[in-house]
mmCIF file of all heavy atoms in Angstrom:
data_model
loop_
_atom_site.group_PDB
_atom_site.id
_atom_site.type_symbol
_atom_site.label_atom_id
_atom_site.label_comp_id
_atom_site.label_asym_id
_atom_site.label_seq_id
_atom_site.Cartn_x
_atom_site.Cartn_y
_atom_site.Cartn_z
ATOM 1 N N PHE R 41 86.023 76.393 388.385
ATOM 2 C CA PHE R 41 86.502 76.743 387.074
ATOM 3 C C PHE R 41 87.045 75.643 386.340
ATOM 4 O O PHE R 41 87.625 74.760 386.820
ATOM 5 C CB PHE R 41 87.450 77.949 387.166
ATOM 6 C CG PHE R 41 86.900 79.245 387.635
ATOM 7 C CD1 PHE R 41 86.938 79.556 388.971
ATOM 8 C CD2 PHE R 41 86.119 79.962 386.826
ATOM 9 C CE1 PHE R 41 86.409 80.738 389.445
ATOM 10 C CE2 PHE R 41 85.551 81.127 387.214
ATOM 11 C CZ PHE R 41 85.694 81.545 388.518
ATOM 12 N N SER R 42 86.869 75.728 384.984
ATOM 13 C CA SER R 42 87.511 74.745 384.086
ATOM 14 C C SER R 42 88.947 75.134 383.807
ATOM 15 O O SER R 42 89.480 76.041 384.514
ATOM 16 C CB SER R 42 86.709 74.725 382.742
ATOM 17 O OG SER R 42 86.951 76.003 382.079
ATOM 18 N N GLY R 43 89.552 74.534 382.787
ATOM 19 C CA GLY R 43 90.898 74.961 382.507
ATOM 20 C C GLY R 43 91.039 76.253 381.908
ATOM 21 O O GLY R 43 92.146 76.872 381.856
ATOM 22 N N ASN R 44 89.973 76.914 381.491
ATOM 23 C CA ASN R 44 89.989 78.224 380.854
ATOM 24 C C ASN R 44 89.399 79.219 381.832
ATOM 25 O O ASN R 44 88.305 79.794 381.598
ATOM 26 C CB ASN R 44 89.160 78.206 379.487
ATOM 27 C CG ASN R 44 89.269 79.521 378.747
ATOM 28 O OD1 ASN R 44 90.014 80.458 379.147
ATOM 29 N ND2 ASN R 44 88.567 79.576 377.720
ATOM 30 N N VAL R 45 90.136 79.545 382.926
ATOM 31 C CA VAL R 45 89.628 80.486 383.975
ATOM 32 C C VAL R 45 89.422 81.823 383.333
ATOM 33 O O VAL R 45 88.409 82.449 383.592
ATOM 34 C CB VAL R 45 90.651 80.566 385.097
ATOM 35 C CG1 VAL R 45 90.256 81.604 386.108
ATOM 36 C CG2 VAL R 45 90.788 79.222 385.706
ATOM 37 N N ARG R 46 90.267 82.346 382.551
ATOM 38 C CA ARG R 46 90.155 83.658 381.970
ATOM 39 C C ARG R 46 88.843 83.707 381.109
ATOM 40 O O ARG R 46 88.013 84.650 381.192
ATOM 41 C CB ARG R 46 91.298 83.993 381.087
ATOM 42 C CG ARG R 46 91.232 85.416 380.492
ATOM 43 C CD ARG R 46 92.403 85.693 379.612
ATOM 44 N NE ARG R 46 93.499 85.852 380.480
ATOM 45 C CZ ARG R 46 94.634 86.492 380.179
ATOM 46 N NH1 ARG R 46 94.753 87.003 379.022
ATOM 47 N NH2 ARG R 46 95.617 86.617 381.115
ATOM 48 N N GLY R 47 88.594 82.717 380.361
ATOM 49 C CA GLY R 47 87.363 82.668 379.491
ATOM 50 C C GLY R 47 86.105 82.585 380.330
ATOM 51 O O GLY R 47 85.095 83.320 380.059
ATOM 52 N N ASP R 48 86.150 81.762 381.415
ATOM 53 C CA ASP R 48 85.011 81.624 382.271
ATOM 54 C C ASP R 48 84.745 83.008 383.001
ATOM 55 O O ASP R 48 83.566 83.367 383.009
ATOM 56 C CB ASP R 48 85.290 80.532 383.383
ATOM 57 C CG ASP R 48 85.325 79.195 382.785
ATOM 58 O OD1 ASP R 48 84.968 78.989 381.608
ATOM 59 O OD2 ASP R 48 85.770 78.260 383.538
ATOM 60 N N VAL R 49 85.781 83.618 383.469
ATOM 61 C CA VAL R 49 85.567 84.853 384.152
ATOM 62 C C VAL R 49 85.042 85.982 383.218
ATOM 63 O O VAL R 49 84.144 86.747 383.559
ATOM 64 C CB VAL R 49 86.874 85.336 384.861
ATOM 65 C CG1 VAL R 49 86.730 86.745 385.409
ATOM 66 C CG2 VAL R 49 87.200 84.428 386.016
ATOM 67 N N ARG R 50 85.576 85.936 382.049
ATOM 68 C CA ARG R 50 85.126 86.968 381.004
ATOM 69 C C ARG R 50 83.673 86.720 380.694
ATOM 70 O O ARG R 50 82.948 87.690 380.601
ATOM 71 C CB ARG R 50 85.936 86.755 379.777
ATOM 72 C CG ARG R 50 85.663 87.888 378.720
ATOM 73 C CD ARG R 50 86.554 87.849 377.508
ATOM 74 N NE ARG R 50 87.968 87.988 377.853
ATOM 75 C CZ ARG R 50 88.959 87.241 377.511
ATOM 76 N NH1 ARG R 50 88.745 86.216 376.730
ATOM 77 N NH2 ARG R 50 90.213 87.466 377.883
ATOM 78 N N GLN R 51 83.244 85.501 380.628
ATOM 79 C CA GLN R 51 81.815 85.185 380.351
ATOM 80 C C GLN R 51 80.966 85.627 381.462
ATOM 81 O O GLN R 51 79.865 86.270 381.220
ATOM 82 C CB GLN R 51 81.661 83.689 380.125
ATOM 83 C CG GLN R 51 80.285 83.228 379.681
ATOM 84 C CD GLN R 51 80.213 81.747 379.351
ATOM 85 O OE1 GLN R 51 80.914 80.950 380.070
ATOM 86 N NE2 GLN R 51 79.536 81.419 378.319
ATOM 87 N N ILE R 52 81.371 85.383 382.711
ATOM 88 C CA ILE R 52 80.572 85.861 383.854
ATOM 89 C C ILE R 52 80.533 87.359 383.899
ATOM 90 O O ILE R 52 79.431 87.897 384.105
ATOM 91 C CB ILE R 52 81.144 85.307 385.208
ATOM 92 C CG1 ILE R 52 81.043 83.755 385.188
ATOM 93 C CG2 ILE R 52 80.571 85.938 386.431
ATOM 94 C CD1 ILE R 52 81.943 83.071 386.267
ATOM 95 N N PHE R 53 81.585 87.940 383.696
ATOM 96 C CA PHE R 53 81.684 89.421 383.751
ATOM 97 C C PHE R 53 80.795 90.026 382.644
ATOM 98 O O PHE R 53 79.960 91.041 382.921
ATOM 99 C CB PHE R 53 83.178 89.930 383.448
ATOM 100 C CG PHE R 53 83.323 91.402 383.344
ATOM 101 C CD1 PHE R 53 83.235 92.212 384.478
ATOM 102 C CD2 PHE R 53 83.344 92.018 382.129
ATOM 103 C CE1 PHE R 53 83.392 93.577 384.399
ATOM 104 C CE2 PHE R 53 83.531 93.393 382.061
ATOM 105 C CZ PHE R 53 83.467 94.189 383.175
ATOM 106 N N SER R 54 80.750 89.488 381.477
ATOM 107 C CA SER R 54 79.944 89.968 380.355
ATOM 108 C C SER R 54 78.515 89.892 380.762
ATOM 109 O O SER R 54 77.720 90.750 380.525
ATOM 110 C CB SER R 54 80.206 89.245 379.036
ATOM 111 O OG SER R 54 81.527 89.514 378.600
ATOM 112 N N LYS R 55 78.082 88.676 381.297
ATOM 113 C CA LYS R 55 76.722 88.458 381.713
ATOM 114 C C LYS R 55 76.214 89.532 382.762
ATOM 115 O O LYS R 55 75.239 90.125 382.709
ATOM 116 C CB LYS R 55 76.507 87.101 382.166
ATOM 117 C CG LYS R 55 75.110 86.749 382.537
ATOM 118 C CD LYS R 55 75.043 85.281 383.103
ATOM 119 C CE LYS R 55 73.649 84.830 383.374
ATOM 120 N NZ LYS R 55 73.062 85.530 384.558
ATOM 121 N N ILE R 56 77.138 89.638 383.797
ATOM 122 C CA ILE R 56 76.780 90.597 384.905
ATOM 123 C C ILE R 56 76.762 92.017 384.354
ATOM 124 O O ILE R 56 75.871 92.768 384.735
ATOM 125 C CB ILE R 56 77.843 90.526 386.026
ATOM 126 C CG1 ILE R 56 77.860 89.150 386.719
ATOM 127 C CG2 ILE R 56 77.697 91.612 387.039
ATOM 128 C CD1 ILE R 56 76.540 88.944 387.496
ATOM 129 N N ASN R 57 77.595 92.321 383.460
ATOM 130 C CA ASN R 57 77.651 93.705 382.962
ATOM 131 C C ASN R 57 76.356 93.967 382.094
ATOM 132 O O ASN R 57 75.860 95.178 382.130
ATOM 133 C CB ASN R 57 78.880 93.911 382.076
ATOM 134 C CG ASN R 57 79.660 95.089 382.530
ATOM 135 O OD1 ASN R 57 79.432 95.692 383.560
ATOM 136 N ND2 ASN R 57 80.563 95.536 381.641
ATOM 137 N N ARG R 58 75.904 93.008 381.380
ATOM 138 C CA ARG R 58 74.574 93.172 380.590
ATOM 139 C C ARG R 58 73.447 93.398 381.537
ATOM 140 O O ARG R 58 72.551 94.326 381.321
ATOM 141 C CB ARG R 58 74.387 92.061 379.689
ATOM 142 C CG ARG R 58 75.293 92.011 378.441
ATOM 143 C CD ARG R 58 74.782 90.969 377.409
ATOM 144 N NE ARG R 58 74.722 89.600 377.973
ATOM 145 C CZ ARG R 58 75.729 88.738 378.017
ATOM 146 N NH1 ARG R 58 76.964 89.107 377.610
ATOM 147 N NH2 ARG R 58 75.612 87.478 378.574
ATOM 148 N N GLU R 59 73.435 92.554 382.608
ATOM 149 C CA GLU R 59 72.358 92.730 383.641
ATOM 150 C C GLU R 59 72.414 94.049 384.264
ATOM 151 O O GLU R 59 71.384 94.734 384.487
ATOM 152 C CB GLU R 59 72.441 91.599 384.667
ATOM 153 C CG GLU R 59 72.160 90.226 384.149
ATOM 154 C CD GLU R 59 72.425 89.143 385.209
ATOM 155 O OE1 GLU R 59 72.681 89.467 386.405
ATOM 156 O OE2 GLU R 59 72.376 87.969 384.880
ATOM 157 N N LEU R 60 73.632 94.464 384.645
ATOM 158 C CA LEU R 60 73.829 95.767 385.305
ATOM 159 C C LEU R 60 73.312 96.925 384.379
ATOM 160 O O LEU R 60 72.574 97.756 384.845
ATOM 161 C CB LEU R 60 75.261 96.042 385.591
ATOM 162 C CG LEU R 60 75.694 97.422 386.142
ATOM 163 C CD1 LEU R 60 74.907 97.860 387.331
ATOM 164 C CD2 LEU R 60 77.168 97.480 386.316
ATOM 165 N N LYS R 61 73.695 96.902 383.149
ATOM 166 C CA LYS R 61 73.256 97.973 382.130
ATOM 167 C C LYS R 61 71.731 97.952 382.025
ATOM 168 O O LYS R 61 71.139 99.106 382.153
ATOM 169 C CB LYS R 61 73.888 97.744 380.833
ATOM 170 C CG LYS R 61 73.493 98.880 379.869
ATOM 171 C CD LYS R 61 74.033 98.740 378.447
ATOM 172 C CE LYS R 61 73.725 99.841 377.540
ATOM 173 N NZ LYS R 61 72.448 100.537 377.769
ATOM 174 N N ALA R 62 71.114 96.819 381.923
ATOM 175 C CA ALA R 62 69.631 96.806 381.813
ATOM 176 C C ALA R 62 68.998 97.382 383.163
ATOM 177 O O ALA R 62 68.037 98.107 383.085
ATOM 178 C CB ALA R 62 69.200 95.345 381.572
ATOM 179 N N PHE R 63 69.572 96.981 384.264
ATOM 180 C CA PHE R 63 69.045 97.475 385.538
ATOM 181 C C PHE R 63 69.257 99.006 385.658
ATOM 182 O O PHE R 63 68.240 99.723 386.061
ATOM 183 C CB PHE R 63 69.727 96.768 386.702
ATOM 184 C CG PHE R 63 68.987 96.818 387.993
ATOM 185 C CD1 PHE R 63 67.983 95.927 388.258
ATOM 186 C CD2 PHE R 63 69.367 97.751 388.986
ATOM 187 C CE1 PHE R 63 67.303 95.999 389.533
ATOM 188 C CE2 PHE R 63 68.708 97.774 390.147
ATOM 189 C CZ PHE R 63 67.639 96.884 390.437
ATOM 190 N N GLN R 64 70.362 99.530 385.322
ATOM 191 C CA GLN R 64 70.663 100.940 385.329
ATOM 192 C C GLN R 64 69.703 101.654 384.426
ATOM 193 O O GLN R 64 69.172 102.761 384.739
ATOM 194 C CB GLN R 64 72.113 101.232 384.976
ATOM 195 C CG GLN R 64 73.122 100.699 385.955
ATOM 196 C CD GLN R 64 73.367 101.539 387.199
ATOM 197 O OE1 GLN R 64 72.550 102.381 387.613
ATOM 198 N NE2 GLN R 64 74.526 101.349 387.826
ATOM 199 N N ASP R 65 69.545 101.130 383.185
ATOM 200 C CA ASP R 65 68.678 101.765 382.227
ATOM 201 C C ASP R 65 67.129 101.826 382.776
ATOM 202 O O ASP R 65 66.485 102.787 382.602
ATOM 203 C CB ASP R 65 68.617 101.036 380.907
ATOM 204 C CG ASP R 65 69.961 101.234 380.188
ATOM 205 O OD1 ASP R 65 70.763 102.080 380.521
ATOM 206 O OD2 ASP R 65 70.190 100.443 379.188
ATOM 207 N N ARG R 66 66.757 100.650 383.420
ATOM 208 C CA ARG R 66 65.365 100.646 383.995
ATOM 209 C C ARG R 66 65.214 101.711 385.090
ATOM 210 O O ARG R 66 64.233 102.373 385.203
ATOM 211 C CB ARG R 66 65.197 99.266 384.526
ATOM 212 C CG ARG R 66 63.765 99.034 385.048
ATOM 213 C CD ARG R 66 63.502 97.624 385.447
ATOM 214 N NE ARG R 66 62.583 97.563 386.466
ATOM 215 C CZ ARG R 66 62.533 96.649 387.416
ATOM 216 N NH1 ARG R 66 63.442 95.558 387.295
ATOM 217 N NH2 ARG R 66 61.692 96.609 388.373
ATOM 218 N N TYR R 67 66.264 101.844 385.909
ATOM 219 C CA TYR R 67 66.253 102.781 387.037
ATOM 220 C C TYR R 67 66.117 104.240 386.404
ATOM 221 O O TYR R 67 65.258 104.964 386.861
ATOM 222 C CB TYR R 67 67.587 102.728 387.783
ATOM 223 C CG TYR R 67 67.910 103.811 388.726
ATOM 224 C CD1 TYR R 67 67.031 104.199 389.704
ATOM 225 C CD2 TYR R 67 69.100 104.496 388.644
ATOM 226 C CE1 TYR R 67 67.311 105.249 390.613
ATOM 227 C CE2 TYR R 67 69.503 105.492 389.587
ATOM 228 C CZ TYR R 67 68.562 105.915 390.485
ATOM 229 O OH TYR R 67 68.773 106.944 391.363
ATOM 230 N N ASP R 68 66.877 104.577 385.378
ATOM 231 C CA ASP R 68 66.768 105.878 384.755
ATOM 232 C C ASP R 68 65.387 106.088 384.175
ATOM 233 O O ASP R 68 64.857 107.131 384.349
ATOM 234 C CB ASP R 68 67.809 106.133 383.705
ATOM 235 C CG ASP R 68 69.165 106.570 384.265
ATOM 236 O OD1 ASP R 68 69.206 107.157 385.380
ATOM 237 O OD2 ASP R 68 70.187 106.278 383.610
ATOM 238 N N LEU R 69 64.859 105.061 383.496
ATOM 239 C CA LEU R 69 63.538 105.183 382.890
ATOM 240 C C LEU R 69 62.495 105.447 383.909
ATOM 241 O O LEU R 69 61.623 106.306 383.808
ATOM 242 C CB LEU R 69 63.290 103.964 382.041
ATOM 243 C CG LEU R 69 61.980 103.911 381.320
ATOM 244 C CD1 LEU R 69 61.952 104.947 380.203
ATOM 245 C CD2 LEU R 69 61.797 102.526 380.735
ATOM 246 N N GLU R 70 62.507 104.558 384.967
ATOM 247 C CA GLU R 70 61.423 104.650 385.953
ATOM 248 C C GLU R 70 61.460 105.902 386.806
ATOM 249 O O GLU R 70 60.406 106.378 387.262
ATOM 250 C CB GLU R 70 61.477 103.370 386.900
ATOM 251 C CG GLU R 70 61.025 102.150 386.117
ATOM 252 C CD GLU R 70 60.940 100.905 386.994
ATOM 253 O OE1 GLU R 70 61.030 101.022 388.275
ATOM 254 O OE2 GLU R 70 60.797 99.856 386.393
ATOM 255 N N THR R 71 62.634 106.406 387.031
ATOM 256 C CA THR R 71 62.783 107.609 387.874
ATOM 257 C C THR R 71 62.808 108.868 387.020
ATOM 258 O O THR R 71 62.862 109.951 387.520
ATOM 259 C CB THR R 71 64.059 107.641 388.664
ATOM 260 O OG1 THR R 71 65.157 107.581 387.809
ATOM 261 C CG2 THR R 71 64.063 106.450 389.630
ATOM 262 N N ASP R 72 62.819 108.717 385.664
ATOM 263 C CA ASP R 72 62.904 109.822 384.638
ATOM 264 C C ASP R 72 64.138 110.685 385.111
ATOM 265 O O ASP R 72 64.080 111.897 385.157
ATOM 266 C CB ASP R 72 61.631 110.716 384.680
ATOM 267 C CG ASP R 72 61.606 111.665 383.579
ATOM 268 O OD1 ASP R 72 62.346 111.471 382.572
ATOM 269 O OD2 ASP R 72 60.849 112.707 383.644
ATOM 270 N N PHE R 73 65.282 109.959 385.282
ATOM 271 C CA PHE R 73 66.519 110.593 385.543
ATOM 272 C C PHE R 73 66.370 111.540 386.806
ATOM 273 O O PHE R 73 67.045 112.570 386.853
ATOM 274 C CB PHE R 73 67.078 111.334 384.406
ATOM 275 C CG PHE R 73 67.260 110.432 383.232
ATOM 276 C CD1 PHE R 73 66.228 110.271 382.262
ATOM 277 C CD2 PHE R 73 68.522 109.861 383.059
ATOM 278 C CE1 PHE R 73 66.513 109.403 381.201
ATOM 279 C CE2 PHE R 73 68.677 108.954 381.913
ATOM 280 C CZ PHE R 73 67.708 108.744 381.039
ATOM 281 N N SER R 74 65.710 111.079 387.833
ATOM 282 C CA SER R 74 65.490 111.698 389.138
ATOM 283 C C SER R 74 64.370 112.711 389.187
ATOM 284 O O SER R 74 64.099 113.214 390.209
ATOM 285 C CB SER R 74 66.792 112.331 389.647
ATOM 286 O OG SER R 74 66.965 113.706 389.088
ATOM 287 N N ARG R 75 63.725 112.971 387.985
ATOM 288 C CA ARG R 75 62.683 113.922 387.967
ATOM 289 C C ARG R 75 61.330 113.466 388.622
ATOM 290 O O ARG R 75 60.520 114.206 389.168
ATOM 291 C CB ARG R 75 62.395 114.476 386.590
ATOM 292 C CG ARG R 75 63.625 115.273 386.035
ATOM 293 C CD ARG R 75 63.366 115.828 384.660
ATOM 294 N NE ARG R 75 63.414 114.704 383.656
ATOM 295 C CZ ARG R 75 64.420 114.569 382.887
ATOM 296 N NH1 ARG R 75 65.498 115.391 382.953
ATOM 297 N NH2 ARG R 75 64.482 113.578 381.934
ATOM 298 N N ASN R 76 61.193 112.094 388.607
ATOM 299 C CA ASN R 76 60.015 111.501 389.237
ATOM 300 C C ASN R 76 60.403 111.192 390.682
ATOM 301 O O ASN R 76 60.990 110.219 391.046
ATOM 302 C CB ASN R 76 59.574 110.189 388.535
ATOM 303 C CG ASN R 76 58.340 109.572 389.110
ATOM 304 O OD1 ASN R 76 58.074 109.716 390.271
ATOM 305 N ND2 ASN R 76 57.628 108.816 388.321
#
Side-chain angles (χ1 to χ4, degrees):
F41 291 98
S42 69
N44 185 5
V45 175
R46 181 178 292 200
D48 291 349
V49 171
R50 187 177 297 131
Q51 187 176 39
I52 293 166
F53 176 77
S54 293
K55 181 179 184 292
I56 293 291
N57 233 14
R58 284 191 305 274
E59 291 175 10
L60 170 60
K61 183 182 181 329
F63 199 83
Q64 296 278 21
D65 290 347
R66 182 171 152 213
Y67 167 56
D68 278 334
L69 181 66
E70 289 183 11
T71 63
D72 192 21
F73 300 91
S74 82
R75 291 182 287 258
N76 182 333

